[in-house]
Amino acid sequence: MIPDWRELFNKWCTEDKYRLFLDDLKSMVGGTISFRPSETPVFLPRELIDEMIDSSLAIISQLDTPHYFDLSTRSVPDNFKAPNEGSRPHFVQVDFALVKNVSGHIVPRLIELQGCASIYAFQYVLAQCFRKH
């Protein structure tokens, strides 16, 4: 994390500004939000972001093979298969934990790979609202 940016954000973030942010977010979503949005921006150095992007692409490329598609297709029971399903998901998310390695540097470590789109639209709107505020 970039400490100076975190400190600046924390000084900026007040209850009143958070309330305005929430009002705007609800307006952008077009309805009520049934949970407390408590996400906060994470200020990461460009090098770490690039490492996570490179790692994500390397992981995803391992899945883009006929062999993997055959194995994954056979692992889903027939009663859970969706009609007209394509050969790959429309969305893929790679989740990382950030840990210190033996040298004390922060590095990404894979937690999970997801192929579901349950909250992607909200995350897009949330990011837009962060940028606005």
Side-chain angles (χ1 to χ4, degrees):
M1 184 162 316
I2 302 173
D4 293 344
W5 290 11
R6 166 54 52 200
E7 185 178 333
L8 183 62
F9 179 84
N10 288 349
K11 285 180 182 176
W12 171 86
C13 194
T14 65
E15 284 298 320
D16 288 339
K17 288 180 180 178
Y18 179 67
R19 197 170 13 269
L20 290 172
F21 168 82
L22 285 181
D23 290 344
D24 203 21
L25 183 60
K26 288 175 188 174
S27 174
M28 292 170 78
V29 168
T32 20
I33 300 169
S34 60
F35 55 91
R36 182 177 190 269
S38 58
E39 291 92 342
T40 181
V42 177
F43 305 101
L44 302 175
R46 181 81 244 172
E47 304 81 36
L48 182 57
I49 292 170
D50 289 342
E51 186 177 354
M52 288 188 290
I53 290 169
D54 292 344
S55 297
S56 297
L57 294 173
I59 291 165
I60 292 167
S61 73
Q62 295 174 44
L63 308 177
D64 197 15
T65 67
H67 178 68
Y68 175 79
F69 181 72
D70 180 54
L71 289 174
S72 64
T73 300
R74 286 190 281 140
S75 70
V76 177
D78 287 339
N79 58 324
F80 289 108
K81 291 185 180 176
N84 304 315
E85 187 173 340
S87 61
R88 60 180 67 145
H90 294 287
F91 301 95
V92 175
Q93 178 172 314
V94 182
D95 290 337
F96 292 102
L98 297 178
V99 300
K100 284 186 180 179
N101 65 12
V102 293
S103 305
H105 294 96
I106 302 292
V107 295
R109 292 295 180 254
L110 178 66
I111 294 176
E112 66 180 339
L113 174 72
Q114 299 178 34
C116 59
S118 60
I119 199 162
Y120 284 126
F122 179 77
Q123 292 292 358
Y124 174 79
V125 172
L126 181 66
Q128 297 301 314
C129 200
F130 272 138
R131 286 184 186 98
K132 181 177 177 180
H133 287 268

